[in-house]
Amino acid sequence: MIDMTAADGVSGDARVRSNVVRLAAAQALTGANAAVIFATGSIVGATLAPSISLATLPISVYVLGIAAGTLPTGAISRAYGRRVAFIIGTGCGTLTGLLGALAILRGSFALFCCATFLGGLYGAVSQSYRFAAADGASAEYRPKAVSWVMAGGVLGPQLVQWTMDVWSPYLFAFSSWRKPSLR
């Protein structure tokens, strides 16, 4: 156990507050990732899949990505620290967007499924954000730190709504670039 004075707790909370803002923003972005995948995954899947029966496979692959990424996230965090795990997760999130856009533009169902798997890995990493916010915070600030990060997750789907028509002919910035043709 670490002995802290009140002054140490206040100065430590200033550092934690800046981390909480970053973690809340990261949580919002991963929430947007999940919202886009769940809202458009089966629509895009129906458009790209070789058979309509595979339309929801991208969403299932996303869930598999979360399951596959949970334990490795913990192992990476223990071995190298949470920062490294968060950077790797952010890389997966970036690749999700790039591969997803490329898959839609190329009409590749397999590539789209790979993108949603990476989105799941990104989602798995985000499950640790609230714990990172609580670490290092004083006992008094800890509930607020966790609440702010969790609130970021609520903001994520709203980000999707605010930005869905930024590139007007391509709703959701590539996510539904054409109307699905149900075969």
Side-chain angles (χ1 to χ4, degrees):
M1 184 162 244
I2 299 172
D3 289 329
M4 293 179 68
T5 65
D8 291 338
V10 172
S11 67
D13 280 346
R15 181 185 51 79
V16 171
R17 280 187 180 93
S18 67
N19 286 339
V20 165
V21 169
R22 285 189 286 275
L23 289 166
Q27 186 73 32
L29 292 173
T30 55
N33 172 60
V36 167
I37 289 174
F38 280 111
T40 64
S42 59
I43 295 169
V44 173
T47 303
L48 300 177
S51 166
I52 192 70
S53 63
L54 297 173
T56 59
L57 183 61
I59 295 172
S60 298
V61 171
Y62 173 82
V63 173
L64 286 174
I66 290 176
T70 301
L71 292 178
T73 297
I76 292 167
S77 294
R78 275 189 302 281
Y80 304 104
R82 281 199 177 120
R83 182 179 180 153
V84 172
F86 293 168
I87 289 170
I88 292 169
T90 301
C92 288
T94 302
L95 286 174
T96 297
L98 294 173
L99 285 178
L102 183 63
I104 292 168
L105 291 174
R106 299 269 184 199
S108 174
F109 182 69
L111 190 58
F112 186 68
C113 287
C114 289
T116 60
F117 183 80
L118 287 171
L121 295 177
Y122 181 39
V125 171
S126 74
Q127 301 301 314
S128 299
Y129 292 162
R130 63 185 180 268
F131 302 116
D135 284 354
S138 66
E140 296 81 29
Y141 185 64
R142 194 169 296 134
K144 283 185 180 182
V146 172
S147 296
W148 278 105
V149 171
M150 297 305 289
V154 174
L155 182 63
Q158 189 63 42
L159 288 173
V160 174
Q161 185 177 0
W162 291 336
T163 61
M164 70 183 201
D165 58 357
V166 167
W167 192 357
S168 83
Y170 306 104
L171 286 179
F172 303 106
F174 291 117
S175 295
S176 57
W177 69 284
R178 60 184 173 173
K179 294 184 190 235
S181 60
L182 302 178
R183 297 177 194 116

